[in-house]
Amino acid sequence: MSSDIPGVQTTVDNGVLRVTLDRPSRMNAVTTESLDAIADAFDKHAGDAEVRVAILTGAGRAFCTGADLGGLDVSGPPSSATIDAANRVAAAIRAFPRPVIGAVNGPAAGVGVSLALACDLTIATESSYFLLAFTKVGLMPDGGATALVAASIGRARALKMALLAERLPAREALAAGLIADVYPDDEFAATVDALARRLADGPSEAFHFTKDAVNDATLIELDNAFARERSGQIDLLAAADFQEGVAAFLEKRPAVFGRA
């Protein structure tokens, strides 16, 4: 069984739900609509007894490079629609009763980091990297990233990632505890399939209770993070620094931010 929504492809085959960000020409940058489609896919199949494991991945050479800033109108009042949709995805993955594999097949940037880390087993290709790019355009991390990253690697490293917006290569992400494993690029697809098969053939209810117990113990601030990020991001979206950040991004030049 398969279904296609612009920007997202979903299939269910032999107990495996595969949700693929499918905008390779945009490096799988997400829109409000594509984020809602991802959340809808997880919500739709949450009660499907045939689904025993899920995979979230990207088409082409990227996992997800964040929100699509192309053609964005920054002159009007700020909208929370994309933030709310990103929060929906992270919450839907967290609530999904089966293990979710985050198969990071290339760069994960901006909200792409949030999507990857919301998954239960996040693995990556050796060529992948993780980048909290928000401050480059005058914003703050969202999609639950302020909780998801800190829960994995601690306050100091989370703040370094968030404030300095530096790339964290996959091998360093593994060493820091941000992700579960790294595999050679040419072995990745087969490894993802083998891991999905192992989980699909395992004790689903034991996995369900284990996932919930670990996430309840470590992500106790996730809902509060959604609220804090939403509030802060709305203020930042209305600020001059965001307009300058987007202009600089589109014009491929360094941003010149103002002074508070």
Side-chain angles (χ1 to χ4, degrees), residues 131-164:
L131 171 63
L132 286 179
F134 297 91
T135 57
K136 287 181 176 289
V137 292
L139 296 178
M140 66 178 289
D142 58 24
T146 56
L148 293 164
V149 176
S152 298
I153 60 176
R155 175 177 176 270
R157 283 172 170 161
L159 280 169
K160 183 180 180 182
M161 281 189 70
L163 293 175
L164 300 184

Side-chain angles (χ1 to χ4, degrees), residues 76-217:
S79 169
S80 67
T82 301
I83 303 166
D84 293 340
N87 290 349
R88 267 197 71 206
V89 175
I93 293 171
R94 162 65 188 88
F96 196 72
R98 301 296 181 231
V100 180
I101 300 168
V104 180
N105 56 301
V111 76
V113 176
S114 305
L115 302 184
L117 299 187
C119 299
D120 305 304
L121 282 172
T122 304
I123 61 176
T125 60
E126 286 184 329
S127 65
S128 299
Y129 62 82
F130 297 81
L131 171 63
L132 286 179
F134 297 91
T135 57
K136 287 181 176 289
V137 292
L139 296 178
M140 66 178 289
D142 58 24
T146 56
L148 293 164
V149 176
S152 298
I153 60 176
R155 175 177 176 270
R157 283 172 170 161
L159 280 169
K160 183 180 180 182
M161 281 189 70
L163 293 175
L164 300 184
E166 296 175 342
R167 292 186 182 188
L168 187 66
R171 283 288 175 192
E172 293 182 30
L174 175 62
L178 188 70
I179 60 176
D181 221 332
V182 174
Y183 298 95
D185 289 43
D186 59 357
E187 299 175 10
F188 192 66
T191 300
V192 171
D193 289 344
L195 180 58
R197 188 75 266 137
R198 178 178 175 181
L199 291 168
D201 292 341
S204 289
E205 282 307 289
F207 290 157
H208 180 189
F209 283 110
T210 300
K211 165 179 175 165
D212 282 354
V214 172
N215 284 334
D216 284 348

Side-chain angles (χ1 to χ4, degrees), residues 50-76:
E50 293 184 8
V51 172
R52 298 176 64 84
V53 64
I55 299 168
L56 178 64
T57 193
R61 58 194 180 94
F63 175 73
C64 173
T65 53
D68 192 349
L69 298 180
L72 183 67
D73 180 9
V74 299
S75 62

